[in-house]
Amino acid sequence: MTSPIEHKQQQIETTMRLAPVIPVVVIDDARHAVPMARALVAGGIPAIEVTLRTPAALEAIRAIAAEVEGAMIGVGTVLTARDLQAALQAGARFAVSPGISPRLLDAADDCELPLLPGAATASEAMHLLERGYRHLKFFPAVPAGGPKLLGAWASPLPQIRFCPTGGISLASASDFLALPNVLCVGGSWLTPANLLASGDWAAIELLAREAAELRRPV
């Protein structure tokens, strides 16, 4: 019988395999959420992470969950048990944290929302593996050591697959996606603040199409 943590890890893996990129979205105006998400989905990017960095985040998640067909909406910058519960109630289908803490992992054990926890060191990755996590966020990817560091973990930590996030662009994404232990990358370049502010959904759809065409290992 599959354990609860393993079941949630399978859900996270499915989400990570939907497209080469998971957009990391900071949204200031919840009215932009639905057209933005529709543009991303139309461009071939269904998994979307809306970060809890603005007061509009939860309203945006609720709107996308209710109105955007084909969107796999997630919540980022999850730090506490309260964040997990708020995200679940808003309709999020996965959660992402920048790092880990014992309280957050305990709360995740008791919450049905699948968690993609962050790690920046081999020790953190090993700790998460002991807790049953085989799919992790590598954050902050570029400052922490980039593709060279993450690639060096592939042999000693072959069980773990990563979504590197932090400082990645369209130009550098392929360097990460070429690694055998990377399933996707996270990036904010698909939804820049100026395009959100101007409502240029066609431009966001174009950025999504470019991202969806990035190659990754089978």
Side-chain angles (χ1 to χ4, degrees):
M1 183 176 177
T2 303
S3 66
I5 180 64
E6 178 58 24
H7 177 67
K8 288 185 283 189
Q9 281 290 283
Q10 291 172 359
Q11 292 176 292
I12 286 290
E13 179 178 2
T14 298
T15 299
M16 292 171 70
R17 291 187 181 276
L18 288 174
V21 182
I22 296 178
V24 179
V25 183
V26 178
I27 193 159
D28 293 305
D29 188 340
R31 294 174 298 179
H32 294 157
V34 168
M36 173 210 67
R38 286 176 175 158
L40 291 170
V41 172
I45 301 292
I48 304 166
E49 175 191 336
V50 173
T51 67
L52 293 179
R53 301 179 194 176
T54 68
L58 288 173
E59 184 180 349
I61 292 165
R62 281 191 290 268
I64 294 170
E67 301 181 41
V68 184
E69 184 177 355
M72 173 69 75
I73 184 62
V75 59
T77 321
V78 169
L79 305 179
T80 66
R82 180 177 295 180
D83 290 340
L84 279 175
Q85 289 301 321
L88 182 65
Q89 292 171 6
R93 298 172 66 185
F94 67 97
V96 185
S97 64
I100 55 169
S101 72
R103 286 186 178 180
L104 180 61
L105 292 179
D106 289 344
D109 286 344
D110 297 329
C111 181
E112 64 185 76
L113 194 64
L115 176 66
L116 179 65
T121 68
S123 295
E124 290 170 351
M126 289 171 61
H127 176 65
L128 285 163
L129 188 61
E130 287 182 351
R131 294 287 298 247
Y133 288 89
R134 299 178 293 103
H135 298 89
L136 311 180
K137 172 181 179 176
F138 175 50
F139 178 83
V142 173
K148 288 186 177 181
L149 177 62
L150 194 54
W153 290 353
S155 292
L157 299 171
Q159 313 95 320
I160 304 177
R161 295 295 179 268
F162 292 92
C163 173
T165 305
I168 299 174
S169 65
L170 178 66
S172 63
S174 295
D175 294 335
F176 287 95
L177 292 169
L179 299 173
N181 55 347
V182 169
L183 293 184
C184 64
V185 302
S188 59
W189 82 85
L190 283 76
T191 55
N194 64 312
L195 295 185
L196 289 175
S198 63
D200 194 342
W201 314 125
I204 288 177
E205 182 178 340
L206 179 60
L207 291 173
R209 290 188 184 280
E210 291 175 339
E213 292 173 357
L214 289 167
R215 295 183 178 273
R216 55 185 173 174
V218 177

